Amino acid sequence: METKDIVMIFGIIAGIVSVGAVLAFVIYPLHDGGDKNDSPTPTPTLTQTPSVIPSPLHSPIPTETHISTPTPTPTPTPTPTPTPTPTPMLTPLNVALASNGATVSGGYPSNQPERDPTELIDGQTSGYGGYNGYAQSLLGKPMTIKFDKIYAIDNVNVLLWDLDTRYYQYKIETSLDNSTWTLVVDKTSGEWKSWQNDTIGRDAKYIRIIGTYNSADTWNEYLHVVELEAYTSIY
Ligand SMILES: [Ca+2]
């Protein structure tokens, strides 16, 4: 190979290299313009300067603020509904019966058992006659029944002897001590025959009946009673 040929080859190579270099400078930016490395560096966001956190050592000791604790409103205590005391609803009991512990005194005369005062409290209200089956006492004189204890007497029922057309007048009194008496039935006027039912509503241990008038013959000075009942609902 001749020298000129070598020079020419070097020239060609040099030309190629030069052209490539030029192209590299020209093309590279065109194809790589979007490289992120060429993006402008974003302006860093200013980090807000943190507030100085006061050192607890330098914080003023807060003056203790006295927050008054509100007095709690007391929960009203509900008023308890009182349990009503049950009212005994018992079958009314005749506590003036001898069989329930009652006794009787008074009456006249005492030597006629068929007209003994015990007839007043024996529970027999039928079968009586002109000379038997009832208690009797002189007008103004009491026949007294004593209960076995004090009872709240609701009603008093009296069966007056009624085998003719007569009527009686009488009164009934009660007592707690057989000493002080309270008038509870006053039938000292009017015409009273056969069954008499009266509400008295009174505590009593004693009850007595006193005749004041008999409309039969004027010589008949007696009260005649077949039965006397005294009922209570509490026993
Ligand atoms: Ca009787």
Side-chain angles (χ1 to χ4, degrees), residues 46-222:
L46 286 179
T47 303
Q48 187 172 6
T49 304
S51 301
V52 175
I53 301 173
S55 167
L57 294 178
H58 297 288
S59 298
I61 299 175
T63 304
E64 184 177 356
T65 302
H66 178 70
I67 301 176
S68 59
T69 303
T71 303
T73 303
T75 303
T77 303
T79 303
T81 302
T83 303
T85 302
T87 301
M89 296 299 289
L90 301 174
T91 302
L93 178 70
N94 176 17
V95 294
L97 276 175
S99 60
N100 285 335
T103 57
V104 64
S105 61
Y108 179 89
S110 60
N111 61 349
Q112 296 181 346
E114 68 276 15
R115 285 178 279 190
D116 190 82
T118 56
E119 298 285 340
L120 202 58
I121 58 172
D122 64 356
Q124 295 297 318
T125 56
S126 61
Y128 53 93
Y131 297 96
N132 68 287
Y134 54 88
Q136 65 178 21
S137 61
L138 287 169
L139 298 180
K141 300 293 184 182
M143 289 186 286
T144 304
I145 298 168
K146 176 185 178 183
F147 310 136
D148 63 336
K149 64 178 182 178
I150 295 174
Y151 289 102
I153 303 300
D154 302 318
N155 304 94
V156 175
N157 303 326
V158 170
L159 177 54
L160 301 170
W161 190 88
D162 57 355
L163 296 182
D164 62 14
T165 59
R166 76 182 65 187
Y167 66 86
Y168 295 95
Q169 294 174 344
Y170 66 97
K171 62 183 177 181
I172 293 175
E173 298 173 332
T174 61
S175 176
L176 295 171
D177 56 6
N178 200 24
S179 176
T180 301
W181 294 90
T182 301
L183 179 66
V184 294
V185 175
D186 184 359
K187 293 189 172 178
T188 57
S189 63
E191 301 180 3
W192 310 104
K193 300 177 180 180
S194 194
W195 275 111
Q196 301 297 311
N197 308 308
D198 293 284
T199 299
I200 64 169
R202 196 166 187 91
D203 288 350
K205 186 172 183 180
Y206 299 86
I207 188 168
R208 67 185 185 183
I209 184 169
I210 302 170
T212 57
Y213 184 71
N214 178 342
S215 69
D217 300 332
T218 55
W219 52 265
N220 200 327
E221 52 189 5
Y222 290 91

